[in-house]
Amino acid sequence: MTQGMRIGVVTFPGSLDDRDAARAVRIAGGEAVALWHGDADLHGVDAVILPGGFSYGDYLRCGAIARFAPVMEPLIDAANGGLPVLGICNGFQVLCESHLLPGALVRNDHLHFICRDQQIRIESTTTAWTSSYAAGQEIVIPLKNGEGGYVADSATLDQLEGDGRVVARYVGINPNGSRRDIAGISNARGNVVGLMPHPEHAVESLTGPTTDGLAFFTSVLAGMVNA
Amino acid sequence: MSRHVDTVADATANSDLEQPYAELGLKPDEYARIREILGRRPTSAELAMYSVMWSEHCSYKSSKVHLAQFGDKKPETDVLLVGIGENAGVVDIGDGWAVTFKVESHNHPSYVEPYQGAATGIGGIVRDILSMGARPVAVMDPLRFGAADHPDTRRVLPGVVAGIGGYGNCLGLPNIGGEIVFDSSYQGNPLVNALCVGTMRHEDIHLASAKGVGNLVVLYGAKTGGDGIGGVSVLASETFDEGGPAKRPSVQVGDPFMEKLLIECTLEVLHAGLVEGIQDLGGAGISCATSELASNGEGGMHVTLDSVPLRDATLTPEEILMSESQERMCAIVTPAKIEAFLDICRKWDVTADVIGVVTDSGRLVIEWHGEVIVDVPPRTVAHDGPVYHRPLARPTWQDTLQADTSNSCARPTTAEQVTSTIFTLVGSPNLAAKTWVTSQYDRYVLGNSILAQPEDSGMIRVDEVTGRGVAISTDCNGRFAKLNPYDGAKLALAESYRNVAATGAAPLAVTNCLNFGSPEDPAVMWQFSEAVRGLADGCLELGIPVTGGNVSFYNQTGTVAIHPTPVVGVLGVIDDVALRTSMAFVNEGDVVLVLGDTYDELNGSEWAHVVHRHLGGLPPRVDLDAERRLAEVLVEAARTRVVSAAHDVSDGGIAQALVEMALRRDVGATVAVPSDVDSFVYLFSESTARVVVTAAPHQVEALESIAAQRKIAAVRIGFVTAPGSELCIDSVFGETVCLSLAQLHDTAEATLPALFG
């Protein structure tokens, strides 16, 4: 049913979870298309994932250099035009640096990198990437970051809450000091989502703590079929 | 920049010049030998090269004569595709897949500068694996620190952990296991070992040799800087002395982002068939890479050192030759393929320069500003270093130590005392949960981690279609090795072998990292020779070959050496990772069994160490025949799906094993101490060749029959209870001991954060 849906996965220098994102796309039933940071062409894909990692070594500031990669130019235009884009971890940071999403991600409040199986609650199912979840559904997926604390000014946070743009929230433990326990947000249209935890690491029971992450990828594929 | 550079012409003309060989770590007779080889005094650049390459760290001059046993006693095997002597050994795991793995020490740099020392330890071992042609797929870190509550441990441990995480996480390699051991013997000499495993197809294996006259020598990766000069000779091949000069400038500085680019770039040039030979730059930098490549190939090389890209233009040629700047590789490329090679380097933004050409002159000639500053037979630098038959002597204190058994230590005699002993051990630094450390490492990246800490072994899926995978464990109990280094090495091998088998993987091959004190101390040299003999004998008996390893000497402060610590890594193969066995209690009603026999063996145990600060007697007996039969049971049980959990019994005995199995998924059990044994001995003895397993009720008999066929005792001791329930042990000195999982969890998890958080 979702056969033929092509989802691009961008590789920046220092991207690490690009293979994992591509695998998740395939398991969800889509076709993963490798996109190269230096190629200003989206090759006609139906959606794009900016994967986790340390693009450009996270030097200067996480995502700050990747934001200027040639591939970002058509991507920013396409995202503003409604193309589904998911930024995971470092990808979330790139989306914030690109101003496709508001706010920023800062050093974890406890100052350590943290890798743990994290419980989150899906707060919005109206985005391109969360439509297959039930509202309020609680899931467990890996989280791994050193700079995952989501911050924005109060007005922005209030607006995100008011517009239903908080996509996911940490439950139980807030692992990085994110304001209002925010784990992920979307743009106003709901096509661009930034998420700090890693759904692509929770798509197989053998390698993930759960398979709870798979619905991020099936959501976008289902959305394309329905569109 | 007008400084005169010492040329070969100068060395010939001015033969009597006094040279600072002693400051570079060379002994008078070694210096005399260099003069004899060259028929003149060495130039300062040649002296620099020989000094680093003939260092203990690079030349294995004190250990070589002993390490030969790994070859001499090699078991009959057809799994070894590349053996000892290359950057890392390669084993055949079937279906055309090959795996390379190796562990190395970065002990001394990590003490001087914990973050960078540990970080570059990861970087170095990853390049070793990469240079075999393999994609690195996982890392592990066997670590040892001084007493957990010593102030310096608080300086060293957080830095080491942050360095391993900072480098490994940014590199995108899952950290799937390792060890963290505290013992005051490592005060001032922490052991930071790093293991990397890589996978490749058989046809992708590459070797470090400069073949083909006229082929080009390409240096690529990071530019060369002034960091890490003399790392191997100044740091790793000497004992730290009080009041000596600060050695921080000898520690290298890592850039994991560059290493990630280097990995992707290297794999792309290798797979494109553009490389004739390849070598990483680690200890001894360009000196090592050029001399080893030349020595392994046509025998000659001509290098123009001016072509080496520098971070610091003021570096002298001697410094360039000795620099251990990280993230550099050296490849041999034919002139026809050089443009394609450089194109791929450009794609990855990796600097690459042709610095020389392969010759058949039998000489390694290095030019600087048009003058020859090095002209040596490369083999004399790389392979024909000095070999020492160091004196060895069984320490005078060994008998006294062995006579002082743990029988003098008061043992618990009531259920209440057993309960309190369990909690004491569960919360002790060596047995406490290591979550505070391992949560700083990414264990998920690459998406093939099947098992990671705190499981008995790390396990990686190699083939996503067939599910073929490998399991790796590293182990060593330094206290056992101190009590008897021969048995201690065998015990380390046995534990690692057992840990691999517990996950359902069949043990296949061995690597090691032999951490010892000063080889100039005959007692240490005796410990070393005994440990090597034990490990070689053990591998022969188990039928698994040693594929390579590393020796770290001079781990001592003044005259006090660390416990002999031969860390042994065993790699096993599993046909389908879906059949792996985890350590967790999972299914309510499953039967709990102990496989293997328990004896009164508490010498050197965690109990004696924690409760009585006692170390003496002889370590537990090692029975490798029993270990092999036990491993066969575990592999067969996993393959036929009759086992639902398995966990090795070692530090802390059966009590600790049960606690760990219960805490893994927060599922309890009710078990009973068999009536015919002493409750304390049963729960805390560290007898070898034992595993706690669980099996579904309808499969217990099948499991027992597999065990019986291999003559392994299998005794039912209880059953798994509900999630969140207690761990209850009946018949402990006639009473039932019930332990709250929540309380056990809190006790296990609180220790490290309290010390280092």
Side-chain angles (χ1 to χ4, degrees):
Chain A
M1 180 174 86
T2 50
Q3 216 63 34
M5 296 296 167
R6 300 169 73 245
I7 301 187
V9 178
V10 177
T11 298
F12 299 103
S15 289
L16 304 178
D17 299 316
D18 43 350
R19 284 180 186 76
D20 303 69
R23 183 190 296 113
V25 167
R26 287 194 298 274
I27 291 174
E31 181 192 344
V33 177
L35 300 178
W36 184 245
H37 69 100
D39 181 5
D41 188 341
L42 299 182
H43 296 278
V45 295
D46 301 304
V48 169
I49 297 171
L50 300 181
F54 290 70
S55 60
Y56 297 93
D58 274 358
Y59 296 144
L60 183 59
R61 202 170 59 239
C62 305
I65 303 176
R67 177 251 173 279
F68 293 102
V71 74
M72 289 306 292
E73 215 170 305
L75 180 65
I76 290 170
D77 286 347
N80 285 326
L83 183 80
V85 178
L86 175 65
I88 303 169
C89 196
N90 194 231
F92 187 5
Q93 293 160 341
V94 175
L95 291 176
C96 290
E97 288 290 338
S98 309
H99 301 292
L100 284 169
L101 293 174
L105 293 138
V106 299
R107 187 103 180 117
N108 296 346
D109 56 355
H110 48 79
L111 305 181
H112 295 294
F113 183 95
I114 185 163
C115 176
R116 68 189 306 270
D117 299 339
Q118 176 70 42
Q119 191 168 8
I120 60 172
R121 185 170 55 242
I122 303 297
E123 300 279 29
S124 164
T125 57
T126 59
T127 79
W129 298 91
T130 52
S131 57
S132 297
Y133 288 102
Q137 188 177 342
E138 293 191 356
I139 64 173
V140 175
I141 61 178
L143 170 121
K144 42 170 213 180
N145 63 65
E147 308 193 24
Y150 181 73
V151 295
D153 58 48
S154 315
T156 305
L157 291 170
D158 289 343
Q159 193 185 354
L160 288 171
E161 303 264 15
D163 295 349
R165 289 166 58 192
V166 173
V167 175
R169 233 186 274 273
Y170 300 117
V171 178
I173 289 172
N174 179 333
N176 46 32
S178 285
R179 299 291 155 83
R180 304 193 191 178
D181 300 333
I182 288 175
I185 58 169
S186 75
N187 65 352
R189 196 166 173 171
N191 62 308
V192 178
V193 169
L195 191 69
M196 198 30 70
H198 289 259
E200 81 282 17
H201 290 322
V203 295
E204 288 183 280
S205 56
L206 268 176
T207 54
T210 63
T211 54
D212 291 350
L214 192 58
F216 275 91
F217 308 95
T218 54
S219 291
V220 74
L221 293 170
M224 289 170 201
V225 170
N226 298 334
Chain B
M1 288 304 293
S2 59
R3 175 181 170 275
H4 177 72
V5 172
D6 192 25
T7 65
V8 170
D10 293 335
T12 313
N14 173 11
S15 187
D16 294 331
L17 185 79
E18 263 194 43
Q19 295 189 285
Y21 64 85
E23 287 83 341
L24 292 168
L26 287 166
K27 309 284 186 239
D29 54 327
E30 293 172 345
Y31 177 67
R33 207 172 135 225
I34 296 168
R35 295 189 63 121
E36 191 187 316
I37 288 168
L38 298 176
R40 55 172 166 79
R41 74 162 172 87
T43 65
S44 56
E46 290 166 341
L47 187 64
M49 289 183 80
Y50 279 106
S51 75
V52 285
M53 290 301 290
W54 285 14
S55 68
E56 185 66 55
H57 185 86
C58 287
S59 73
Y60 293 84
K61 57 190 168 190
S62 303
S63 55
K64 233 178 208 171
V65 293
H66 301 284
L67 299 178
Q69 290 178 70
F70 293 137
D72 297 344
K73 296 180 186 171
K74 194 175 79 176
E76 286 285 322
T77 175
D78 49 9
V79 303
L80 213 52
L81 299 173
V82 175
I84 297 171
E86 286 292 337
N87 285 310
V90 181
V91 290
D92 178 7
I93 63 158
D95 291 348
W97 287 103
V99 165
T100 178
F101 73 125
K102 190 181 179 188
V103 56
E104 270 200 350
S105 63
H106 234 217
N107 303 339
H108 294 82
S110 302
Y111 176 65
V112 174
E113 165 47 51
Y115 186 99
Q116 292 297 345
T120 55
I122 296 273
I125 193 68
V126 166
R127 286 192 302 281
D128 270 332
I129 295 306
L130 181 62
S131 65
M132 298 307 298
R135 173 173 281 281
V137 293
V139 293
M140 295 172 85
D141 289 276
L143 307 175
R144 280 160 182 79
F145 300 99
D149 55 2
H150 191 286
D152 198 50
T153 303
R154 202 181 153 80
R155 171 186 75 91
V156 176
L157 183 143
V160 165
V161 170
I164 290 168
Y167 202 98
N169 296 341
C170 185
L171 200 53
L173 292 178
N175 192 313
I176 57 168
E179 305 163 80
I180 297 163
V181 177
F182 299 95
D183 190 297
S184 52
S185 108
Y186 304 110
Q187 207 74 60
N189 291 279
L191 303 185
V192 177
N193 296 173
L195 179 148
C196 182
V197 56
T199 62
M200 65 193 135
R201 304 295 299 169
H202 285 188
E203 59 271 22
D204 291 334
I205 296 172
H206 280 77
L207 300 176
S209 73
K211 294 220 172 75
V213 172
N215 284 343
L216 304 171
V217 182
V218 186
L219 182 66
Y220 68 107
K223 292 182 179 179
T224 298
D227 55 323
I229 288 174
V232 291
S233 51
V234 180
L235 276 185
S237 303
E238 270 185 63
T239 303
F240 291 131
D241 291 316
E242 294 274 339
K247 290 180 172 176
R248 284 183 66 171
S250 293
V251 179
Q252 314 87 329
V253 178
D255 176 358
F257 171 58
M258 175 53 78
E259 181 110 334
K260 168 68 179 171
L261 299 183
L262 203 56
I263 291 175
E264 300 303 334
C265 178
T266 298
L267 290 172
E268 195 165 330
V269 294
L270 290 175
H271 291 158
L274 303 177
V275 174
E276 306 303 308
I278 189 161
Q279 167 76 301
D280 64 302
L281 273 71
I286 294 176
S287 295
C288 179
T290 54
S291 62
E292 285 193 354
L293 280 165
S295 178
N296 292 340
E298 305 293 346
M301 187 181 285
H302 191 106
V303 173
T304 309
L305 207 57
D306 313 66
S307 304
V308 173
L310 302 178
R311 262 179 251 170
D312 171 359
T314 67
L315 288 181
T316 66
E318 296 85 355
E319 289 170 327
I320 297 169
L321 286 168
M322 290 171 84
S323 165
E324 295 184 8
S325 284
Q326 299 291 290
E327 294 94 25
R328 297 179 299 164
M329 301 279 288
C330 197
I332 305 299
V333 183
T334 66
K337 292 177 177 170
I338 189 68
E339 270 316 310
F341 183 99
L342 296 176
D343 277 346
I344 290 174
C345 291
R346 272 190 288 273
K347 171 184 166 188
W348 288 101
D349 293 323
V350 168
T351 304
D353 293 272
V354 175
I355 63 161
V357 62
V358 177
T359 70
D360 57 3
S361 65
R363 312 287 293 185
L364 171 61
V365 177
I366 300 181
E367 259 182 51
W368 175 256
H369 295 348
E371 294 191 276
V372 174
I373 58 165
V374 171
D375 184 354
V376 297
R379 201 171 168 80
T380 65
V381 180
H383 297 294
D384 296 338
V387 174
Y388 291 142
H389 291 80
R390 301 266 193 200
L392 17 123
R394 188 169 187 271
T396 48
W397 44 258
Q398 198 77 36
D399 286 334
T400 323
L401 182 72
Q402 292 180 347
D404 174 25
T405 72
S406 63
N407 291 341
S408 60
C409 302
R411 298 177 168 194
T413 53
T414 66
E416 200 179 320
Q417 287 170 351
V418 165
T419 303
S420 116
T421 304
I422 289 176
F423 274 104
T424 302
L425 288 182
V426 165
S428 66
N430 285 343
L431 298 184
K434 301 301 184 294
T435 317
W436 185 84
V437 171
T438 57
S439 68
Q440 297 185 50
Y441 305 151
D442 182 351
R443 61 184 177 274
Y444 284 111
V445 63
L446 298 181
N448 285 311
S449 306
I450 304 298
L451 296 173
Q453 62 273 348
E455 296 283 348
D456 286 347
S457 301
M459 185 181 286
I460 290 290
R461 178 174 59 185
V462 174
D463 189 320
E464 293 191 28
V465 176
T466 64
R468 181 168 295 271
V470 292
I472 303 177
S473 177
T474 68
D475 293 282
C476 179
N477 186 322
R479 294 194 304 270
F480 291 168
K482 171 107 177 192
L483 297 179
N484 181 331
Y486 177 83
D487 282 350
K490 279 189 168 180
L491 285 161
L493 172 67
E495 186 179 349
S496 194
Y497 182 89
R498 194 184 320 127
N499 275 325
V500 164
T503 64
L508 202 63
V510 174
T511 187
N512 59 75
C513 191
L514 308 173
N515 305 276
F516 287 78
S518 168
E520 295 163 39
D521 177 345
V524 168
M525 223 35 229
W526 175 81
Q527 292 174 327
F528 179 78
S529 70
E530 284 293 285
V532 171
R533 189 169 67 87
L535 184 55
D537 286 350
C539 289
L540 181 61
E541 196 173 342
L542 288 173
I544 53 176
V546 173
T547 63
N550 174 241
V551 177
S552 174
F553 279 131
Y554 295 98
N555 296 290
Q556 69 178 51
T557 303
T559 57
V560 183
I562 59 164
H563 287 341
T565 311
V567 171
V568 179
V570 171
L571 177 135
V573 64
I574 184 164
D575 295 339
D576 183 356
V577 292
L579 301 176
R580 88 277 180 237
T581 311
S582 160
M583 67 187 271
F585 287 147
V586 273
N587 306 317
E588 188 175 356
D590 277 6
V591 179
V592 181
L593 303 95
V594 171
L595 304 184
D597 299 305
T598 302
Y599 306 96
D600 186 340
E601 296 182 301
L602 276 304
N603 295 331
S605 67
E606 207 60 41
W607 166 75
H609 174 66
V610 171
V611 177
H612 295 283
R613 299 272 142 219
H614 181 272
L615 177 59
L618 287 171
R621 269 166 299 165
V622 53
D623 180 349
L624 294 177
D625 182 55
E627 298 285 0
R628 186 177 53 235
R629 286 182 281 115
L630 176 64
E632 285 171 6
V633 170
L634 291 164
V635 171
E636 176 72 11
R639 197 175 280 149
T640 53
R641 297 178 187 252
V642 299
V643 63
S644 49
H647 187 31
D648 152 64
V649 178
S650 53
D651 305 346
I654 286 176
Q656 180 68 21
L658 291 168
V659 169
E660 289 171 354
M661 295 176 86
L663 290 183
R664 183 77 178 107
R665 299 273 178 239
D666 203 24
V667 173
T670 296
V671 300
V673 173
S675 54
D676 54 341
V677 293
D678 177 83
S679 297
F680 167 74
V681 169
Y682 190 73
L683 291 172
F684 296 97
S685 164
E686 297 186 8
S687 294
T688 60
R690 293 181 304 159
V691 171
V692 178
V693 297
T694 67
H698 68 281
Q699 285 169 328
V700 175
E701 285 182 16
L703 177 63
E704 286 169 336
S705 138
I706 292 171
Q709 281 163 23
R710 271 86 173 181
K711 298 191 167 48
I712 291 293
V715 177
R716 301 186 193 193
I717 62 164
F719 53 90
V720 174
T721 51
S725 56
E726 300 175 302
L727 174 63
C728 291
I729 310 173
D730 291 334
S731 313
V732 177
F733 295 115
E735 290 180 52
T736 297
V737 165
C738 272
L739 310 162
S740 141
L741 292 193
Q743 216 177 330
L744 285 170
H745 176 272
D746 291 349
T747 305
E749 293 288 344
T751 306
L752 260 54
L755 287 163
F756 306 110

